[in-house]
Amino acid sequence: MKIGYRTIKTAIGTPVAIAIAQFLGLTNFVSAGILTMLCIQPSRKRSVLSAWDRFAACVLASILSFGFFEILGYNTIVLGIMLAFFIPLTVLLKITQGITTSSVIIINLYSAGHIDYVFLFNQFMLILVGIGIGLIVNLYMPSMDKQLREKQKKLETNFRIILYEIAAYIRDKNQTWDGKEITETEHILEETIELVERDRENHMLRSEHTYYDYFNMRTKQFDILKRMLPLVTKLPFKDPMSEEIANFFERLSEAVHPGNTAILFLKELNDLYTVFHDEDMPTSKEEFETRANLYRLLREMEDYLIIKKKFKKSDVVIKYKIKKTGST
């Protein structure tokens, strides 16, 4: 059974918060541990934002509890009225994350039966200890570089296979490919959305995130690859240009990696355009359809390469040795 890092943080932070509150002689010291448990978040950014929301909501709850309970009395009807007023107010102030946390403080104050300044200070210290320890333990976030690199490598392997299979189909109508890499790639890109977003939130001072840019670039390229597949399956006739284009796709399949020399392939693509325009005009409907689909393939590939050309390479992404000479 695998234990997540949030579980470990909770297991460490909760007793520490309780111990500190107990050491300070605070009443209801267990509440500090509850506050810490509620503050454990999956990223640094969410942790900071959550800590502020919870702190503001707890302070607001303390002030309102003092006013409602001391003036209107300590009974369940007043408690319900106060909550009916307090919750919409947190929505208005955009601190709704603190509703659950502040409920602990409200119950403490309600249970006391009497609120004085000493007891309010006690609750304020509980808030500081509980939320503070939660914020501190959340400062450590494990690096996601390894996971993202693994996703990157698998993604590029799938891209190579897809491009190679396109070349094989153009060349000899090879239909043995089951296309599982298409589904796998879709799943990988979906998984990276959450991972990259969490990693971005763990680097609050970094304005750019290379993995975000990288997977965004691959997502756009993958959309183009999916548009190519129907064009390839509609090729009813082997045109003289088919072999040239198949060879081009095969070379592309051998050059998929994070580096960026797509401009070399764009130059080669321009040469293919020249050859394409110099070909004799098609003499039948079948030849015309084949030529039209091949031309659309070249246009799609041009867009594919332009997307990669615009991508800014970074050493953050290039974590393993590049052995190829090209890049797509």
Side-chain angles (χ1 to χ4, degrees):
M1 181 176 63
K2 185 178 180 181
I3 299 178
Y5 68 91
R6 290 181 67 185
T7 302
I8 296 174
K9 288 180 182 182
T10 303
I12 295 174
T14 302
V16 168
I18 293 174
I20 292 175
Q22 195 170 10
F23 175 77
L24 294 175
L26 303 177
T27 57
N28 297 315
F29 52 82
V30 175
S31 297
I34 297 174
L35 293 175
T36 297
M37 291 176 65
L38 294 172
C39 287
I40 303 298
Q41 297 294 314
S43 71
R44 290 193 186 100
K45 182 178 180 180
R46 292 187 214 178
S47 176
V48 172
L49 295 176
S50 173
W52 165 249
D53 284 0
R54 294 173 194 279
F55 177 78
C58 285
V59 172
L60 179 63
S62 299
I63 296 172
L64 290 177
S65 295
F66 180 81
F68 273 86
F69 296 147
E70 286 295 307
I71 295 174
L72 301 178
Y74 290 81
N75 59 70
T76 54
I77 295 176
V78 174
L79 176 63
I81 294 173
M82 201 210 83
L83 289 174
F85 180 79
F86 170 70
I87 293 175
L89 188 57
T90 60
V91 175
L92 179 65
L93 297 175
K94 298 181 180 180
I95 53 174
T96 53
Q97 287 190 72
I99 292 176
T100 305
T101 310
S102 57
S103 297
V104 176
I105 301 300
I106 293 172
I107 297 301
N108 284 345
L109 295 170
Y110 175 77
S111 301
H114 174 67
I115 302 174
D116 54 24
Y117 294 113
V118 174
F119 193 71
L120 275 178
F121 178 76
N122 181 91
Q123 297 304 300
F124 179 73
M125 291 301 296
L126 283 176
I127 295 169
L128 284 182
V129 172
I131 295 179
I133 294 299
L135 186 59
I136 290 171
V137 296
N138 261 340
L139 290 178
Y140 168 75
M141 290 292 171
S143 173
M144 296 182 182
D145 281 0
K146 182 179 179 181
Q147 290 174 272
L148 291 170
R149 284 200 303 272
E150 289 175 353
K151 299 291 184 187
Q152 173 192 335
K153 290 181 180 180
K154 180 59 178 174
L155 190 65
E156 290 174 357
T157 297
N158 285 356
F159 267 52
R160 293 187 194 102
I161 294 173
I162 294 169
L163 288 167
Y164 178 82
E165 292 298 336
I166 289 176
Y169 192 90
I170 294 174
R171 184 177 290 120
D172 54 21
K173 294 292 189 294
N174 184 352
Q175 300 184 22
T176 59
W177 182 43
D178 59 10
K180 67 182 181 65
E181 285 76 17
I182 297 293
T183 304
E184 284 181 358
T185 299
E186 288 179 336
H187 290 161
I188 291 170
L189 291 172
E190 288 173 0
E191 290 170 356
T192 57
I193 292 174
E194 181 183 358
L195 286 176
V196 169
E197 189 57 35
R198 282 170 54 191
D199 200 51
R200 289 179 72 188
E201 291 179 351
N202 285 337
H203 300 84
M204 295 182 291
L205 300 179
R206 184 192 295 174
S207 59
E208 296 182 357
H209 192 283
T210 309
Y211 278 115
Y212 173 82
D213 296 335
Y214 172 80
F215 285 111
N216 185 50
M217 176 269 293
R218 289 301 187 196
T219 298
K220 293 177 181 177
Q221 285 190 314
F222 182 61
D223 288 339
I224 292 175
L225 287 178
K226 288 191 293 183
R227 292 203 302 265
M228 289 181 187
L229 295 175
L231 295 176
V232 174
T233 58
K234 291 178 182 178
L235 297 175
F237 181 78
K238 189 169 183 179
D239 188 270
M241 280 294 297
S242 297
E243 187 64 27
E244 291 290 334
I245 294 177
N247 291 338
F248 181 69
F249 271 88
E250 188 170 343
R251 287 193 295 275
L252 285 173
S253 72
E254 297 170 352
V256 177
H257 60 65
N260 196 348
T261 52
I263 191 170
L264 299 177
F265 285 98
L266 282 169
K267 183 178 179 181
E268 187 175 339
L269 188 63
N270 285 330
D271 293 338
L272 277 176
Y273 276 132
T274 301
V275 175
F276 198 94
H277 289 302
D278 289 341
E279 287 287 308
D280 294 333
M281 292 295 292
T283 57
S284 66
K285 180 181 177 182
E286 190 176 49
E287 288 182 9
F288 180 82
E289 291 177 351
T290 301
R291 190 76 61 86
N293 285 327
L294 288 173
Y295 189 78
R296 288 176 62 191
L297 272 179
L298 291 181
R299 285 298 185 189
E300 294 287 7
M301 183 48 64
E302 183 178 11
D303 292 339
Y304 175 97
L305 292 170
I306 288 174
I307 289 171
K308 185 59 184 290
K309 180 184 175 183
K310 292 179 180 178
F311 173 67
K312 295 181 179 179
K313 182 179 67 174
S314 170
D315 291 338
V316 175
V317 174
I318 314 293
K319 292 292 186 179
Y320 55 93
K321 186 177 181 182
I322 298 174
K323 298 181 179 179
K324 306 296 182 181
T325 58
S327 166
T328 59

